[in-house]
Amino acid sequence: MEADPEPRWLEPDERETWMSLAALLMRLPGALDAQLQRDAALTHFEYLVLSGLSMAPERTMRMSDLAVAAEGSLPRLSQVVSRLEKRGWVRRFPDPADGRVTLAVLTDEGYAKVVAAAPGHVEAVRQLVFDPLTKPQRRQLREIARRIMGAVDPGGHCPPSA
Amino acid sequence: MEADPEPRWLEPDERETWMSLAALLMRLPGALDAQLQRDAALTHFEYLVLSGLSMAPERTMRMSDLAVAAEGSLPRLSQVVSRLEKRGWVRRFPDPADGRVTLAVLTDEGYAKVVAAAPGHVEAVRQLVFDPLTKPQRRQLREIARRIMGAVDPGGHCPPSA
DNA sequence: GACATTCTGTTGCAGCGTGAAGTGAATTCG
DNA sequence: CGAATTCACTTCACGCTGCAACAGAATGTC
């Protein structure tokens, strides 16, 4: 419990890197949420859910799969889908093939909503993330994010390099 | 409102980059919080506050400056400091020189707490962020994070390259 | 010197997320 | 078969965060 007088501290430049990344983790989600909230009255997570459904075959997904696709927990998804259902953008019904499973479908209104919200969101992502970077940096960022995700979620579905 | 039939969509590889980064934004904070919560019963933001104070002269800071240093809002900081005060790690008193200002001081117990929590946290940052990356990637990450922060917070204190 | 404005920090309220318990369906095993 | 376990999802209680309204202190203006 006290055997390491000097653990592996960060080098000064690593410390700077980490501070910048920490700042990014604190601020970027808020900035993204702000744009979606202002222009579409949508949370980033809500957007991910609608967007995920819109790209699925039949615009339908099992709740569990949708939770994984949106990088969120199942309870969180359950509540968010409840909200989206109240707003008429998603409907839920039990899977005929397995009574335990709930299937979520994007309604036409929901699809229209994603289509309306997407350009503004994409534009925000561009402005905040891609525009400030050089081409090589954009390429590096993909690899960097994948590798970090590999460490965060070892059983994940983001192959480090493939 | 509907003049752009084709806004600047993301290229396929940009889309992949963004999905990986989005996943990182969703998961990395949780992973960091989990370690601190488990090993030190501390939020990442609480840790940033204590850590910020521990590095300040006299281990003392104005609330506003502390909020900026920890990348959080003032109301958020106010409540967090209240909690930390109840736990005996921070004390608050009005600035004698300006009655509007509140000064926050790290107590000896608070300092001991940071010192105890730091190695585990640093180790987690290493494992999750730095270990998976190559040296050039670590260098790139600093520049990438700075540039994105420059776009997120134009008035920020993170010069793009200096 | 008195009033309005600005600055600093706190408080109240509403919304969101997490983790634990609860419900009901399907599977496994005796 | 029937009971226990596992699985998919929902619900509940709690804590945290952001925003807006608020209170107190300092500054500027006439």
Side-chain angles (χ1 to χ4, degrees):
Chain A
M1 252 344 170
E2 23 143 313
D4 315 61
E6 254 341 279
R8 301 155 60 208
W9 290 116
L10 297 176
E11 306 294 330
D13 60 336
E14 286 178 331
R15 231 182 108 272
E16 281 183 44
T17 303
W18 169 237
M19 285 179 59
S20 296
L21 181 57
L24 192 157
L25 292 177
M26 295 290 250
R27 298 294 195 92
L28 184 51
L32 257 13
D33 268 334
Q35 180 274 323
L36 276 170
Q37 199 68 45
R38 180 167 42 79
D39 297 346
L42 237 45
T43 300
H44 185 219
F45 185 66
E46 290 174 336
Y47 177 84
L48 283 178
V49 169
L50 295 177
S51 161
L53 279 177
S54 77
M55 294 186 299
E58 311 281 338
R59 304 195 321 214
T60 301
M61 266 200 233
R62 297 165 50 133
M63 292 291 283
S64 328
D65 295 344
L66 189 50
V68 171
E71 301 283 344
S73 65
L74 198 47
R76 183 179 182 183
L77 179 69
S78 187
Q79 289 182 324
V80 167
V81 169
S82 295
R83 295 201 291 269
L84 296 176
E85 209 171 11
K86 283 195 189 95
R87 300 210 249 171
W89 296 328
V90 176
R91 266 178 320 182
R92 253 185 304 197
F93 60 92
D95 186 342
D98 184 338
R100 295 172 298 185
V101 173
T102 303
L103 264 28
V105 199
L106 195 65
T107 64
D108 291 343
E109 293 87 345
Y111 186 76
K113 182 70 186 176
V114 195
V115 169
H121 176 61
V122 170
E123 185 57 30
V125 170
R126 255 194 196 295
Q127 282 181 12
L128 297 178
V129 176
F130 289 108
D131 284 352
L133 302 182
T134 67
K135 270 202 162 52
Q137 284 172 339
R138 293 174 205 186
R139 244 178 285 117
Q140 279 295 332
L141 178 55
R142 180 178 56 185
E143 189 60 19
I144 289 171
R146 277 182 176 167
R147 288 189 176 212
I148 295 179
M149 272 310 286
V152 169
D153 183 17
H157 21 58
C158 249
S161 48
Chain B
M1 256 333 176
E2 24 143 310
D4 315 59
E6 256 337 282
R8 301 155 60 207
W9 290 115
L10 298 177
E11 306 294 330
D13 60 336
E14 286 177 332
R15 232 182 108 272
E16 281 183 44
T17 302
W18 169 237
M19 285 180 58
S20 296
L21 181 57
L24 192 157
L25 292 177
M26 295 291 249
R27 297 295 196 94
L28 185 51
L32 258 12
D33 269 334
Q35 181 274 324
L36 277 169
Q37 199 69 46
R38 180 167 42 80
D39 297 346
L42 237 45
T43 299
H44 184 219
F45 186 67
E46 289 173 336
Y47 177 84
L48 283 178
V49 170
L50 294 177
S51 162
L53 279 178
S54 77
M55 295 185 299
E58 312 281 338
R59 304 192 325 212
T60 301
M61 265 200 232
R62 299 164 49 132
M63 292 292 281
S64 329
D65 295 344
L66 190 50
V68 171
E71 299 284 346
S73 65
L74 198 48
R76 183 180 183 182
L77 178 70
S78 187
Q79 288 182 322
V80 167
V81 169
S82 295
R83 296 201 292 270
L84 296 176
E85 209 170 12
K86 283 195 189 96
R87 300 210 248 172
W89 295 328
V90 176
R91 267 179 318 182
R92 254 185 304 197
F93 62 91
D95 186 341
D98 184 338
R100 293 172 298 184
V101 173
T102 302
L103 263 28
V105 200
L106 195 64
T107 65
D108 291 344
E109 293 87 344
Y111 187 74
K113 182 69 186 176
V114 195
V115 170
H121 176 61
V122 170
E123 184 58 29
V125 171
R126 257 194 195 296
Q127 283 180 13
L128 297 178
V129 176
F130 290 108
D131 284 353
L133 301 182
T134 66
K135 270 202 162 53
Q137 284 172 339
R138 293 174 206 186
R139 242 178 288 117
Q140 279 294 333
L141 178 55
R142 180 179 55 184
E143 188 60 20
I144 288 170
R146 276 181 177 167
R147 289 191 175 210
I148 294 179
M149 273 310 287
V152 170
D153 183 16
H157 21 59
C158 248
S161 50

